[in-house]
Amino acid sequence: MGTAERHQTSADDAAVRSAVRQRAEAPDRDIPAEGRAARSAGRDASQQRAQEQPDYRPLWVEEPARRRRMPDPVRTAAVRAVLLVAVTLLQAMVAFLCTMAGSWLAFPMVLSSIASTVVATWGVLDVWVTRQVWNQRNGVVSIPSSTARALRRERRRARRQARSAERGQARIRRRGSAGQLSHS
């Protein structure tokens, strides 16, 4: 039984269960009272069967990520590096197969593989450099706290104090000029 069929049968089971619940809750007014009792006994048995059947379980359960997401510039560089490495490996494989087959294309492919290896190495180094630059600019997040975070906190505190002192000076200047009636 495939996933779609399993999902369909679980949806059918859920529909049957909800219909049974609705029928049990709303009595039919046109059926005599003794008929209702016999019918409710049948409903109880069908409800019990519905409860015994296992509910639909998802194929996987999503868990929170263990590692934080890479910053956008680093992720972009990493994708670029993976593509360059993949193309380099493909070229190297084609160069090897052309060499084994004795094709004229072997020599150009070997040369392009060498050039591609240089470019792929640059791409991998680019990921490392981009990551280092990003960490330097935005602070290294470490456990339990980061040095960069503490420095930013201190800078913010100093800026706040400077702003509040500046506001206080402006307030004093305004009061001083407003409080004087004339020059003495």
Side-chain angles (χ1 to χ4, degrees):
M1 180 185 284
T3 306
E5 293 164 335
R6 244 185 265 135
H7 185 66
Q8 181 63 35
T9 57
S10 66
D12 293 343
D13 291 343
V16 167
R17 277 189 233 121
S18 67
V20 166
R21 264 188 247 117
Q22 286 174 353
R23 280 192 218 124
E25 292 169 0
D28 292 334
R29 303 207 189 280
D30 57 341
I31 299 176
E34 61 271 354
R36 279 192 203 137
R39 211 160 174 203
S40 67
R43 282 191 203 122
D44 291 340
S46 65
Q47 279 181 344
Q48 190 176 11
R49 263 186 268 120
Q51 289 174 351
E52 289 172 3
Q53 292 178 346
D55 286 332
Y56 170 74
R57 287 187 357 238
L59 294 175
W60 65 84
V61 177
E62 290 192 27
E63 297 175 359
R66 290 184 185 150
R67 293 175 50 172
R68 300 180 81 181
R69 182 174 161 167
M70 277 194 292
D72 286 339
V74 178
R75 192 170 51 251
T76 304
V79 168
R80 189 183 318 122
V82 165
L83 291 174
L84 289 171
V85 169
V87 168
T88 301
L89 289 173
L90 188 70
Q91 281 184 328
M93 184 183 67
V94 170
F96 175 74
L97 292 175
C98 286
T99 304
M100 290 288 115
S103 172
W104 64 270
L105 198 57
F107 184 67
M109 285 306 294
V110 168
L111 289 179
S112 70
S113 293
I114 292 170
S116 190
T117 303
V118 171
V119 172
T121 305
W122 168 83
V124 172
L125 285 174
D126 182 46
V127 174
W128 183 69
V129 169
T130 306
R131 185 166 176 243
Q132 294 299 323
V133 168
W134 193 90
N135 284 340
Q136 230 173 14
R137 287 184 183 161
N138 301 300
V140 180
V141 178
S142 60
I143 307 294
S145 67
S146 168
T147 309
R149 240 185 282 149
L151 289 173
R152 281 197 306 257
R153 215 176 288 132
E154 288 175 21
R155 279 191 230 121
R156 274 195 303 260
R157 191 176 303 127
R159 277 194 305 256
R160 253 187 257 128
Q161 286 175 349
R163 278 194 304 253
S164 66
E166 188 179 317
R167 271 184 264 147
Q169 289 296 326
R171 203 176 305 128
I172 290 171
R173 276 187 248 124
R174 279 191 309 244
R175 275 195 216 141
S177 63
Q180 291 180 346
L181 295 175
S182 63
H183 296 303
S184 327

